[in-house]
Amino acid sequence: MDVLIEQVLMKLREPLHDMESISQWKMQMFTFIDRIAELKVSSTNSGSSENISLDPVDWSAARHIAHEMLDASLNFIQTIRDRPIWRPVPEDVRTILEDAPVPERSRSLADVCNDILTYVLPYPRGNIHPRYWGWVKTEGTVGGVLADMITSTINPNSAGGQFYSGYYVERAVIDWMRQLFGFPRMKNAGVLTTGTSMATIMSLAAARQRAIKNVREDGLVNGPQLMAYASTEAHGCLEKALQLLGLGSKALHLISIDDDFRIKTDQLKIAIQNDRAKGLIPFCIIGNAGTVNTGAFDDLVELSTIARTENVWLHVDGAFGSSVILDPQRRHLVAGLDQADSLAFDFHKWFHCPYEAGCILVRHGLDLQSTFSMEQSILGIVRKDSINDALPFTQLTPDLSRSCRALKVWFTLQEHGTLKIGKKIADNCDQTQYFLSLLEKSKHTIDIIRPVTLNIINFRFEPVELDTTNHELIDNLNIRLANDVQFSGIAYPSTSCIRNRSYIRVCIVSHRSTHEDVDIFVETLLKLYEIRLAKSQQTN
């Protein structure tokens, strides 16, 4: 208490210069008051032998601190453009976070919140910034913040049980998605997941179950060798899924791509025929709805025809690209998606929901149930909703414990609607085309990967001042240039490897991005390019 009082006296003597310093001063003073109040209330109750819960002793002080934290969160979002996109965590802060001892004694709510504001909030990944264009990482919304707060308040386990609000919210979200993507109306044929990676594992597990009926009991010992097919542009989560399912990475037969980065369907047909001749069992084709490298779309209509002809499962990886179904100008890119046996996608990408919120939809209601259902006495009576024949989610997923991921999705869709979200998707694609037009002004220096179909553009500088036949030299120039832009804090691109060459990759998915942000990025990029080029010339 004496230390706190001394700190208050020092704060009272502190000079103030502007409105921002006054605002910070007031917040710090309120924090001191809350700490003192907590200590006084705690000392008053310290003699009580009653078993006190983990709830606050002083609800009034706790309420004030909670409001401060919400204000800090909203202020952080509102002023996001005033800070660098990303900055390294200082060594002293990293030490505090990494090397802190196991907490044994309690601390005040105000102190813990102050640590968050001091050591955590100032050093984020950066993806809520409008010029974070490194990967497909979106920023969420204020509504998502509020929905997550309510979800934590009611703290449901959404895996087991039915007949409570979160369960019906998730069922509503799944029904909406089935309507949007043209899947038949059906119960027990979709759930929310942590992300597309988990949804992919579940989809391939359902495909495996259809191919080997007794796999849950007998496993894969002495069973047939299953084969899946995808383009060389497929996401790495497919290989991981096959490994986790016991099929092994060799079960993924990669098919080459055409000039538009789409799977060559003629080679796919030949590969399936050749594998059958070897005694292998084709069980799944994976189509891309927006590849992570270039945003390419496979011909899903053709893939669905092949899948039906060959009697194999068609899975669509639509992590972010399937969202273009909300954009009337581009929904033709996912033609044929409604014929898929399963679809995996993320709400925390182009739907702008907070992490974690992925989704799996399957065409037939029994596929998830036959793959994941179980009976166990500790789980109580598993019964269907007698009104509409719906199961608890624990019978449709590997999870026996899971949060209610649906409320933030429901909130986002209710607040903004699919038309507005689709408009933001179109805006990002238009911004990418504007970016392309600026790069084309330096077309003699910059090589651009085409086509630019969606919101992703890959480019690399190939300056005539350097030996452009020295691919390692040019690769290093572009990789270091991308790092320069990242460390500037002004923008955040990533890099990609396309046709064995390194490219700078920009993927615009922020609902906060504008054409002005593109101008700022290009201006920064060209300035840093000149500096990096001069260094490369000196070195060589």
Side-chain angles (χ1 to χ4, degrees):
M1 180 68 75
D2 292 339
V3 173
L4 279 174
I5 293 174
E6 182 62 30
Q7 290 175 336
V8 170
L9 292 174
M10 291 176 61
K11 182 60 65 174
L12 286 170
R13 301 187 190 102
E14 186 176 286
L16 301 174
H17 306 290
D18 51 34
M19 290 304 298
E20 183 177 354
S21 63
I22 291 174
S23 178
Q24 293 177 350
W25 182 87
K26 287 169 63 178
M27 182 173 289
Q28 291 167 344
M29 286 298 293
F30 281 131
T31 300
F32 283 132
I33 293 170
D34 291 333
R35 291 180 187 172
I36 292 171
E38 282 188 294
L39 284 175
K40 292 181 73 66
V41 172
S42 178
S43 62
T44 301
N45 291 278
S46 60
S48 173
S49 60
E50 184 180 355
N51 182 22
I52 299 175
S53 76
L54 299 181
D55 289 330
V57 176
D58 183 349
W59 277 99
S60 177
R63 187 182 303 274
H64 180 75
I65 295 169
H67 279 290
E68 284 187 344
M69 293 297 285
L70 180 58
D71 284 340
S73 298
L74 297 181
N75 182 65
F76 190 85
I77 296 172
Q78 184 179 4
T79 61
I80 189 62
R81 290 180 178 274
D82 300 336
R83 292 181 301 279
I85 293 179
W86 171 85
R87 54 177 175 165
V89 179
E91 193 62 35
D92 59 333
V93 174
R94 179 177 174 179
T95 299
I96 289 171
L97 295 175
E98 276 194 324
D99 299 339
V102 176
E104 292 184 351
R105 299 187 178 277
S106 60
R107 298 175 63 203
S108 71
L109 181 63
D111 281 346
V112 177
C113 289
N114 186 63
D115 280 357
I116 290 176
L117 296 180
T118 303
Y119 305 127
V120 178
L121 190 62
Y123 308 104
R125 180 64 188 261
N127 50 284
I128 73 167
H129 195 282
R131 290 190 298 277
Y132 186 96
W133 298 335
W135 293 273
V136 193
K137 299 181 186 296
T138 53
E139 65 283 79
T141 63
V142 170
V145 173
L146 301 179
D148 267 349
M149 180 179 68
I150 296 300
T151 299
S152 295
T153 299
I154 62 176
N155 193 30
N157 176 3
S158 291
Q162 303 149 285
F163 316 119
Y164 78 101
S165 57
Y167 174 75
Y168 296 116
V169 165
E170 183 160 349
R171 275 191 14 208
V173 169
I174 292 298
D175 286 344
W176 292 343
M177 293 304 104
R178 296 188 73 82
Q179 294 176 55
L180 281 176
F181 289 110
F183 278 54
R185 299 291 293 270
M186 194 172 296
K187 300 301 179 185
N188 307 320
V191 293
L192 269 66
T193 66
T194 55
T196 292
S197 293
M198 178 53 70
T200 299
I201 294 171
M202 293 172 62
S203 297
L204 296 189
R208 183 189 63 174
Q209 174 67 27
R210 183 183 290 184
I212 308 176
K213 298 298 183 185
N214 62 340
V215 69
R216 294 184 65 181
E217 295 77 21
D218 298 340
L220 297 171
V221 178
N222 298 323
Q225 175 63 58
L226 302 183
M227 295 298 296
Y229 304 83
S231 84
T232 53
E233 288 290 291
H235 194 276
C237 71
L238 293 173
E239 185 173 332
K240 184 180 290 187
L242 291 170
Q243 292 169 350
L244 290 173
L245 292 171
L247 300 174
S249 55
K250 290 182 179 180
L252 182 60
H253 194 145
L254 294 176
I255 309 299
S256 59
I257 53 175
D258 61 19
D259 292 339
D260 292 337
F261 300 94
R262 304 183 305 174
I263 189 171
K264 291 183 176 180
T265 54
D266 55 342
Q267 292 194 13
L268 170 63
K269 296 175 186 177
I270 294 172
I272 292 175
Q273 293 172 2
N274 289 342
D275 285 345
R276 286 196 194 279
K278 297 175 185 176
L280 306 176
I281 306 297
F283 85 109
C284 184
I285 297 171
I286 298 99
N288 289 310
T291 58
V292 69
N293 260 356
T294 65
F297 288 78
D298 290 333
D299 185 341
L300 300 181
V301 173
E302 177 67 13
L303 291 185
S304 65
T305 300
I306 296 172
R308 285 195 300 271
T309 301
E310 298 291 346
N311 192 29
V312 299
W313 184 285
L314 174 61
H315 172 68
V316 174
D317 180 352
F320 77 99
S322 61
S323 306
V324 299
I325 202 162
L326 302 180
D327 176 11
Q329 300 177 57
R330 297 173 177 86
R331 63 174 50 139
H332 66 276
L333 295 171
V334 291
L337 189 152
D338 58 340
Q339 299 302 309
D341 292 290
S342 59
L343 167 67
F345 66 98
D346 286 322
F347 291 109
H348 57 232
K349 288 189 169 69
W350 243 347
F351 280 86
H352 304 291
C353 297
Y355 288 94
E356 305 163 338
C359 186
I360 172 178
L361 301 179
V362 295
R363 188 166 190 78
H364 300 290
L366 291 177
D367 284 320
L368 291 180
Q369 183 181 350
S370 64
T371 305
F372 298 111
S373 64
M374 64 176 294
E375 299 290 342
Q376 189 174 354
S377 59
I378 195 172
L379 299 178
I381 300 173
V382 175
R383 61 175 183 246
K384 294 183 179 180
D385 185 330
S386 58
I387 298 175
N388 49 35
D389 205 37
L391 286 166
F393 296 123
T394 188
Q395 299 299 304
L396 308 175
T397 78
D399 298 315
L400 297 182
S401 299
R402 62 198 288 269
S403 176
C404 179
R405 304 182 183 107
L407 186 58
K408 54 196 170 190
V409 179
W410 181 91
F411 196 118
T412 301
L413 291 169
Q414 291 279 12
E415 181 185 11
H416 300 292
T418 58
L419 295 179
K420 187 175 181 180
I421 295 173
K423 177 61 169 60
K424 298 311 299 182
I425 290 172
D427 288 347
N428 289 157
C429 295
D430 291 343
Q431 290 153 8
T432 304
Q433 289 300 317
Y434 175 63
F435 184 26
L436 174 62
S437 71
L438 297 183
L439 292 181
E440 285 178 332
K441 295 178 180 180
S442 303
K443 59 184 178 182
H444 297 299
T445 304
I446 299 177
D447 176 47
I448 303 169
I449 292 293
R450 301 173 190 274
V452 179
T453 306
L454 208 59
N455 62 327
I456 298 174
I457 185 166
N458 295 272
F459 62 94
R460 66 190 247 134
F461 287 85
E462 296 182 342
V464 295
E465 294 88 345
L466 299 179
D467 179 8
T468 55
T469 63
N470 186 337
H471 300 307
E472 183 178 358
L473 173 66
I474 303 302
D475 284 351
N476 288 335
L477 169 70
N478 285 277
I479 291 171
R480 290 173 180 173
L481 177 56
N483 288 336
D484 293 340
V485 178
Q486 291 174 0
F487 276 93
S488 75
I490 295 173
Y492 203 106
S494 62
T495 57
S496 59
C497 182
I498 299 177
R499 297 169 183 149
N500 298 318
R501 300 288 180 264
S502 294
Y503 284 79
I504 299 173
R505 176 181 172 278
V506 164
C507 177
I508 304 179
V509 290
S510 172
H511 62 76
R512 300 185 177 117
S513 298
T514 65
H515 279 59
E516 183 181 0
D517 288 308
V518 177
D519 291 332
I520 293 171
F521 178 92
V522 172
E523 180 183 359
T524 301
L525 176 72
L526 294 178
K527 285 181 179 178
L528 293 175
Y529 163 70
E530 293 297 337
I531 296 172
R532 177 56 60 185
L533 175 60
K535 290 181 180 179
S536 297
Q537 287 177 302
Q538 292 172 2
T539 304
N540 294 278

